[in-house]
Amino acid sequence: QVQLVESGGALVQAGGSLRLSCAASGRTLDTWAMGWFRQAPGKEREFLAVISWNSITTAYADTVKGRFTISRDNAKNTVYLQMNGLRPEDTAVYYCAAAINTSRLRTGAIQYWGQGTQVTVSS
């Protein structure tokens, strides 16, 4: 049974930074694409960022491009999301996800989801 556990969510002021982590257990995910989604109250879950198994390919939603950076450490079975320049509209529950490849992850064809971590940005 694969588990993805996110951490690092917090309350932060606008303009601040946070780094989210997602640790996988149960199997190694070093051949899987990993990514991040978020869901704000009353809104659909949206794609944020994806990284290929070998970190060569990354892609971002326009809403976070230039502010967020995704990375991974396969030795630690962990993926990260560095978030800078946070805005109140970034407030949401952030989810880690794993998929067979980057294309499937971006379209929401997710094999494994984490339970989510809350990020709240105050103005």
Side-chain angles (χ1 to χ4, degrees):
Q1 183 73 14
V2 174
Q3 278 195 317
L4 301 179
V5 179
E6 301 96 334
S7 61
L11 171 64
V12 63
Q13 288 190 333
S17 298
L18 283 175
R19 189 176 82 152
L20 304 183
S21 299
C22 171
S25 63
R27 66 171 290 176
T28 57
L29 296 179
D30 56 0
T31 61
W32 292 66
M34 301 292 295
W36 291 91
F37 291 71
R38 70 184 178 191
Q39 188 167 19
K43 294 188 177 181
E44 293 187 354
R45 192 172 296 190
E46 65 170 326
F47 162 80
L48 297 179
V50 61
I51 187 167
S52 61
W53 67 274
N54 55 7
S55 300
I56 289 177
T57 300
T58 59
Y60 299 89
D62 288 343
T63 51
V64 303
K65 194 175 296 183
R67 299 189 299 126
F68 292 9
T69 302
I70 189 170
S71 62
R72 67 190 296 165
D73 184 339
N74 286 343
K76 296 182 179 179
N77 227 18
T78 300
V79 63
Y80 305 96
L81 187 67
Q82 177 67 42
M83 305 187 294
N84 299 328
L86 283 163
R87 305 165 181 167
E89 54 265 38
D90 293 319
T91 295
V93 178
Y94 284 68
Y95 296 91
C96 175
I100 293 174
N101 57 48
T102 57
S103 295
R104 290 179 67 86
L105 192 139
R106 293 189 69 169
T107 58
I110 304 301
Q111 188 69 27
Y112 304 111
W113 286 103
Q115 85 291 348
T117 186
Q118 177 71 45
V119 172
T120 303
V121 184
S122 63
S123 56

